[in-house]
């Protein structure tokens, strides 16, 4: 079934008074005469009420061109705010030599035959699809040139292209892509095409507005919560706390409430189904459920005990061992030891979990925000006992995800309810559901030890990651591995009923803070500048590597050196003429390298973060605007969660369930973020996550310099060292 999105959220399909109070607001995705196509620059391509343009002629899975010259580019990967719906089409349009003002971008549905890796996660979309996208655009461009050459009866080698035209300079002729589209699509698809030289890029590397900007600003329904289908029911679920099982519920009383059509129990959950979100929410609040507590319930106090036991465990899993660690520490002139700890964290996307499902006799239709549409399809097919091909998945824009929407649990809940009630269902999680229903960033405690010789050289390094539901809480091949002669990295994990999962920059989101803060502690003990200390280690890893070196030393040094230059490391002075207090951090994750310098000033006796310099090496920058937003967003996210985020438990029950008791960063707490990119011309690497991991340490190390207090636990505001100076 084809669906388009109405022009404005003001175009309500239903504004009806619901029995018992409240409103039912619905937004349609059916075909509508009022639909508007808007180019990335805001140009209206089809005004309201105007006849739609002629159908496009398809060239490949990614693009079509209609006779009016409008180029439609499909963006197959889920848009979670990382800008992929803009970046993918830019790459295609670049190689096509398209006129960007005539490009219309559409979100492609799940189609595993036409596309590969329709996933938003791991900062892997661009690295995976870079060459594929370029070839898609270049192939269509060559076919257009061949069609023009055939019409003009000239060699194709004499033809060139520019902004949507094929040119024959010798005869001063040109034809638009729209003029050539139909006959070009009949040209045999070339087996080999030449891609542009980087110096000829016209779109890639520029600042281009997000293609959804106009829709977002004007309130056009784009997100999963906007989706509405006439006749659908609404559902909400009450889930148990961790370590509890369902026993009974007052279902008869709930079914008697206005607008409620059913109360279901499944998989330890209680679902309320009804005719409007307001009625269902009221009924959900009226549920009286009896739960049975099991021995699996845990509290935050239990976790602290568990960490201590895991760190003392004699048989942890060895992840990497180089040299003779025991001998290095035995003969050390100085040993530095520290422990760092982080709590569980919810993902807290602006848009809570939601999904639409319609299970029918011959298949199922899914619509909503998911980072892994193929997983949603396959899990649905498995549950229903049907072939995956009988499940369709239409993607909506996501109001955040940060890894939470990599899972399909909320999709399957919608499917289960739709099957049980034999109707289309929109499942909606409340904010409280979203924060208390999992899954969380794993809680971890790290213990570090470093051995120094008499000259301040690090000759031994030990790291143990003690975690709850993280599996391996280390990244054993990351820096400084390869730069230390004697190294031991191991891990121990506790299995808990508290569900965990990927959280933006999995594991490294906290590990980087711990590692980079500890390296500053070691540099201080060695009497060396923190930046110089790291550069010396990198030089050693290059000259005399110890074991495998699985990071690019030159790329890491490049971001370090540019960070030193842009921040004026160690030399910059403030308006008062005094040296600026700075903290440094650098990290490699998701194939990219980011160095950061945080600046802290003491204002009225309290430390205040004023600026962060963020230097990224992600290869070729596709969209300057989107890329800067990603680095800035990662940095702000990293600051906010390092400073404030905390999720605690009491007898398996989350103690924070909404923003009144879960702290996020506030607008007036966001510092100036200055972003720079290393221009090395290599193929693009990840960018949706790599700028978050180093942020905590850049801030923490700056706070230490300003106050003399070392922060070793997150959130900072609850660390005794931070409390003593704030």
């Amino acid at each position: 079934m084809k669906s388009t999105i109405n022009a404005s959220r003001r175009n309500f399909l239903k504004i009806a008074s619901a029995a018992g109070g409240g409103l039912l607001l619905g937004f349609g995705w059916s075909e509508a005469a009022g639909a508007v196509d808007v180019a990335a620059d805001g140009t209206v391509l089809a005004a309201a009420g105007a006849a739609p343009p002629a159908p496009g002629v398809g060239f490949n899975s990614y693009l079509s061109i209609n006779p009016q010259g409008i180029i439609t580019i499909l963006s197959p990967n889920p848009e979670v705010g990382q800008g992929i719906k803009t970046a993918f089409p830019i790459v295609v349009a670049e190689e096509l030599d398209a006129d960007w003002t005539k490009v219309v971008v559409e979100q492609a549905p799940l189609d595993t035959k036409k596309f590969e890796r329709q996933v938003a996660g791991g900062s892997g979309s661009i690295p995976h699809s870079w060459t594929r996208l370029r070839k898609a655009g270049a192939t269509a461009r060559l076919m257009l040139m061949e069609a023009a050459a055939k019409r003009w009866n000239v060699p194709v080698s004499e033809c060139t292209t520019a902004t949507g035209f094929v040119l024959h300079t010798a005869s001063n002729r040109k034809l638009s892509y729209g003029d050539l589209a139909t006959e070009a699509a009949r040209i045999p698809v070339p087996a080999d095409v030449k891609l542009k030289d980087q110096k000829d890029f016209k779109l890639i590397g520029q600042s281009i507005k997000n293609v959804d900007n106009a829709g977002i600003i004007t309130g056009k329904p784009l997100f999963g919560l906007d989706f509405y289908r006439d006749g659908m029911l609404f559902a909400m679920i009450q889930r148990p706390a961790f370590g509890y099982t369902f026993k009974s519920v007052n279902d008869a009383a709930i079914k008697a409430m206005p607008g409620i059509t059913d109360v279901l129990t499944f998989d330890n959950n209680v679902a309320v189904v009804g005719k409007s979100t307001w009625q269902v929410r009221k009924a959900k609040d009226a549920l009286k459920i009896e739960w049975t507590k099991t021995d699996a319930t845990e509290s935050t106090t239990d976790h602290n005990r568990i960490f201590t036991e895991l760190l003392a465990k004699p048989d942890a899993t060895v992840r990497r061992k180089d040299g003779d660690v025991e001998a290095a520490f035995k003969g050390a002139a100085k040993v530095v030891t520290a422990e760092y700890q982080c709590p569980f964290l919810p993902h807290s996307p602006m848009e809570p979990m939601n999904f639409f499902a319609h299970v029918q006799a011959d298949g199922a239709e899914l619509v909503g925000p998911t980072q892994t549409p193929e997983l949603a399809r396959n899990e649905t097919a498995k549950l229903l006992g049907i072939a995956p091909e009988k499940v369709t998945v239409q993607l909506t824009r996501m109001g955040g995800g940060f890894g939470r929407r990599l899972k399909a649990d909320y999709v399957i809940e919608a499917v289960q309810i739709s099957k049980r009630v034999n109707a289309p269902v929109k499942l909606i999680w409340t904010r409280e559901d979203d924060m208390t229903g999992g899954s969380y960033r794993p809680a971890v405690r790290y213990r570090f030890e470093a051995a120094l010789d008499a000259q301040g050289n690090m000759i031994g390094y030990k790291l143990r990651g003690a975690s709850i539901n993280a599996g391996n809480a280390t990244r054993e091949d990351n820096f400084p591995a390869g730069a230390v002669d004697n190294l031991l990295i191991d891990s121990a994990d506790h299995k808990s009923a508290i569900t965990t999962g990927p959280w933006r920059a999995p594991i490294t989101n906290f590990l980087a803070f711990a590692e980079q803060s500890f390296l500053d502690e070691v540099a201080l003990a060695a009497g060396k500048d923190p930046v110089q200390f790291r550069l010396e280690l990198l030089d050693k890893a290059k000259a005399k590597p110890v074991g495998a070196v699985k990071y690019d030393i030159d790329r890491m040094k490049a971001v370090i050196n540019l960070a030193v230059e842009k921040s004026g490391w160690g030399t910059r002075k403030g308006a008062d003429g005094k040296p600026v207090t700075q903290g440094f951090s650098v990290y490699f994750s998701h194939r990219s390298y980011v160095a950061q310098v945080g600046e802290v000033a003491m204002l009225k006796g309290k430390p205040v973060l004023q600026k962060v310099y963020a230097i990224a090496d992600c290869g070729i920058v596709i969209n300057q605007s989107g890329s800067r937003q990603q680095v800035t967003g990662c940095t702000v996210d990293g600051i906010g969660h390092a400073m404030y985020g905390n999720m605690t438990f009491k007898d398996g029950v989350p103690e924070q369930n909404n923003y009144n008791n879960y702290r996020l960063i506030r607008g007036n707490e966001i510092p100036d973020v200055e972003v720079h990119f290393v221009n090395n011309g290599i193929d693009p690497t990840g960018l949706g996550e790599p700028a978050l991991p180093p942020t905590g340490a850049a801030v923490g190390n700056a706070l230490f310099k300003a106050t003399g207090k070392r922060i070793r636990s997150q959130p900072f505001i609850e660390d005794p060292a931070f409390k003593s100076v704030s």
Side-chain angles (χ1 to χ4, degrees):
M1 176 178 179
K2 183 179 178 181
S3 296
T4 59
I5 306 174
N6 280 356
S8 171
R9 286 194 180 93
R10 293 187 296 272
N11 184 17
F12 297 148
L13 295 183
K14 288 183 181 291
I15 308 180
S17 177
L23 295 175
L24 166 63
L25 303 182
F27 311 98
W29 277 33
S30 58
E31 301 248 16
V36 176
D37 286 327
V38 182
D41 64 353
T43 303
V44 177
L45 301 176
V57 179
F59 282 79
N60 51 54
S61 299
Y62 294 94
L63 70 98
S64 64
I65 305 174
N66 75 1
Q68 285 77 34
I70 301 301
I71 300 168
T72 299
I73 300 179
L74 293 179
S75 188
N77 281 34
E79 175 58 63
V80 71
Q82 81 282 39
I84 207 70
K85 190 176 175 182
T86 304
F88 268 25
I90 287 173
V91 179
V92 175
E94 177 66 75
E95 290 291 348
L96 180 61
D97 247 355
D99 179 352
W100 185 252
T101 65
K102 293 186 176 181
V103 170
V104 173
V105 177
E106 292 184 359
Q107 177 68 61
L110 175 67
D111 191 330
T112 53
K113 293 181 180 179
K114 291 182 178 180
F115 306 109
E116 298 179 9
R117 198 190 179 279
Q118 285 184 267
V119 173
S123 297
S125 295
I126 291 294
H128 173 270
S129 299
W130 168 247
T131 301
R132 292 172 176 82
L133 295 167
R134 296 185 70 188
K135 286 183 177 179
T139 298
R141 175 175 171 267
L142 181 55
M143 293 166 71
L144 289 159
M145 291 169 64
E146 289 179 347
K150 185 177 180 181
R151 187 185 294 189
W152 291 328
N153 195 25
V154 299
V156 70
S157 59
E158 293 183 4
C159 297
T160 58
T161 58
T163 57
F165 287 90
V166 179
L167 313 174
H168 187 246
T169 305
S171 61
N172 197 28
R173 287 181 289 181
K174 70 177 182 178
L175 288 168
S176 73
Y177 286 178
D179 291 334
L180 295 165
T182 301
E183 55 198 285
R186 301 192 187 106
I187 299 287
V189 178
D192 189 29
V193 293
K194 183 179 179 181
L195 302 179
K196 279 188 178 181
D197 191 289
Q198 291 181 33
K199 64 179 177 57
D200 297 322
F201 286 166
K202 298 180 180 67
L203 294 174
I204 292 175
Q206 302 302 309
S207 289
I208 296 176
K209 296 176 183 177
N210 189 294
V211 296
D212 279 341
N213 276 0
I216 292 170
I217 293 170
T218 59
K220 186 176 181 181
L222 298 170
F223 300 91
L225 281 174
D226 296 329
F227 182 83
Y228 178 80
R229 175 76 55 76
D230 279 332
M232 76 179 187
L233 297 174
F234 295 84
M236 293 184 183
I237 295 177
Q238 183 60 56
R239 300 162 189 83
F242 301 101
Y244 291 77
T245 58
F246 170 78
K247 186 175 182 181
S248 65
V249 64
N250 60 330
D251 52 347
I254 301 302
K255 289 179 182 178
M257 294 182 70
I260 301 305
T261 60
D262 217 332
V263 176
L264 310 173
T265 58
F266 62 92
D267 294 347
N268 220 23
N269 301 318
V270 179
V272 180
V273 186
K275 296 179 180 179
S276 76
T277 54
W278 179 258
Q279 292 168 323
V280 171
R281 176 61 193 262
K282 287 189 69 177
K284 178 176 181 287
D285 290 343
L287 286 171
K288 295 180 180 179
I289 305 174
E290 187 177 357
W291 307 100
T292 300
K293 182 179 177 181
T294 71
D295 294 335
T297 58
E298 294 175 357
S299 299
T300 297
T301 53
D302 297 320
H303 300 154
N304 291 328
R305 171 184 52 78
I306 290 166
F307 286 142
T308 300
E309 293 171 354
L310 292 176
L311 289 177
K313 191 176 180 180
D315 57 344
T317 302
V318 174
R319 302 295 178 177
R320 176 165 176 160
K321 186 174 184 180
D322 297 327
D324 190 338
V325 180
E326 291 75 15
F329 276 85
K330 187 176 180 180
K334 184 182 293 185
V335 173
V336 184
T337 303
E339 291 185 7
Y340 286 78
Q341 184 169 325
C342 73
F344 289 100
L345 287 181
H347 294 79
S348 302
M350 184 176 293
E351 178 190 25
M353 301 301 106
N354 67 91
F355 225 81
F356 170 87
H358 189 190
V359 178
Q360 303 176 72
D362 59 345
E365 178 191 9
L366 304 178
V367 183
T370 171
Q371 293 178 244
T372 52
E374 186 175 4
L375 175 65
R377 182 192 71 173
N378 292 346
E379 289 295 308
T380 298
K382 181 180 178 181
L383 174 70
L384 300 177
I386 60 178
E389 293 74 22
K390 291 187 176 293
V391 180
T392 64
V393 184
Q394 182 176 338
L395 307 178
T396 66
R397 188 180 177 93
M398 286 173 267
F402 313 114
R404 179 60 184 90
R405 288 184 162 97
L406 288 169
K407 291 190 173 184
D409 55 321
Y410 60 102
V411 180
I412 297 305
E413 288 177 347
V415 172
Q416 288 174 297
I417 297 171
S418 176
K419 180 176 172 60
R420 290 274 295 273
V421 302
N422 193 30
V425 169
K426 175 70 169 292
L427 173 69
I428 299 175
W429 290 36
T430 65
R431 174 60 58 195
E432 290 81 5
D433 294 334
D434 205 59
M435 292 189 68
T436 63
S439 71
Y440 305 102
R441 179 184 79 172
V444 183
R445 184 185 294 172
Y446 293 106
R447 184 178 65 206
F448 295 89
E449 298 175 68
L452 299 174
D453 64 14
Q455 289 74 45
N457 300 308
M458 187 161 65
I459 58 174
Y461 180 88
K462 290 195 286 188
L463 163 62
R464 172 169 292 188
S467 58
I468 299 175
N469 279 359
N472 177 15
T474 74
R475 290 293 181 266
E476 62 272 13
D477 293 321
N478 277 9
F479 178 76
V484 186
D485 291 331
N486 308 287
L487 174 143
L488 173 64
I489 298 177
D490 59 20
S491 66
D493 190 57
H494 167 75
K495 300 302 179 186
S496 169
I498 298 173
T499 53
T500 60
W503 191 97
R504 194 175 194 177
I507 302 298
T508 59
N509 56 63
F510 177 77
L511 176 60
F513 162 69
E515 287 180 338
Q516 288 294 305
S517 296
F518 181 66
L519 284 178
D520 258 37
E521 292 199 57
V522 179
L524 179 64
K528 297 181 179 180
D529 174 78
V531 172
Q532 191 57 39
F533 181 68
R534 290 168 173 82
L535 289 172
E536 288 176 4
L537 286 170
L538 288 167
D539 287 341
K540 184 177 184 301
K542 187 162 189 176
K544 295 180 179 179
V546 181
V549 177
K550 296 187 178 181
Y551 48 90
D552 190 311
I553 295 169
D554 292 333
R555 290 181 70 187
M556 185 172 280
K557 288 182 67 174
V559 293
I560 292 174
N561 290 331
L562 191 55
V564 168
E565 174 192 333
K566 296 298 183 181
S567 69
W569 174 261
T571 62
R572 203 167 78 78
K573 295 182 179 180
D576 58 1
K578 296 180 180 179
V580 174
T581 302
Q582 297 177 315
F584 180 82
S585 179
V586 63
Y587 214 72
F588 159 63
S589 66
H590 299 89
R591 298 168 294 277
S592 292
Y593 299 78
V594 178
Q596 294 186 348
V597 175
E599 293 187 348
V600 169
M602 297 299 293
L603 302 178
K604 297 181 180 179
K606 295 183 178 181
V608 177
L609 178 65
Q610 294 190 314
K611 186 165 186 173
V612 174
Y613 296 86
I615 314 300
D617 172 7
C618 60
I620 294 171
V621 175
I622 293 173
N623 182 5
Q624 283 283 339
S625 173
S627 297
R628 290 177 185 278
Q629 291 169 15
Q630 278 302 295
V631 174
T632 302
C634 278
T635 302
V636 173
D637 201 12
I639 295 167
H641 285 94
M643 292 286 294
Y644 309 111
N646 192 16
M647 175 65 76
T648 58
F649 296 83
K650 185 174 182 179
D651 292 331
V653 180
E655 295 187 291
Q656 296 77 27
N657 63 5
N658 209 320
Y659 296 139
N660 64 309
N661 54 17
Y662 180 77
R663 181 80 154 81
L664 291 172
I665 192 169
R666 297 164 183 160
N668 64 345
E669 294 164 338
I670 297 174
D672 176 29
V673 180
E674 184 175 315
V675 180
H676 298 275
F677 294 101
V678 173
N679 183 16
N680 55 19
I682 68 172
D683 286 354
T685 51
L687 193 58
E689 294 162 289
L692 187 149
T695 302
V699 176
N701 289 333
L703 287 169
F704 171 76
K705 281 191 177 180
T707 66
K709 303 290 185 179
R710 177 65 65 183
I711 300 170
R712 295 194 179 94
S713 64
Q714 292 184 4
F716 291 177
I717 60 170
E718 297 184 21
D719 187 289
F722 187 81
K723 286 183 175 180
S724 68
V725 296
S726 62

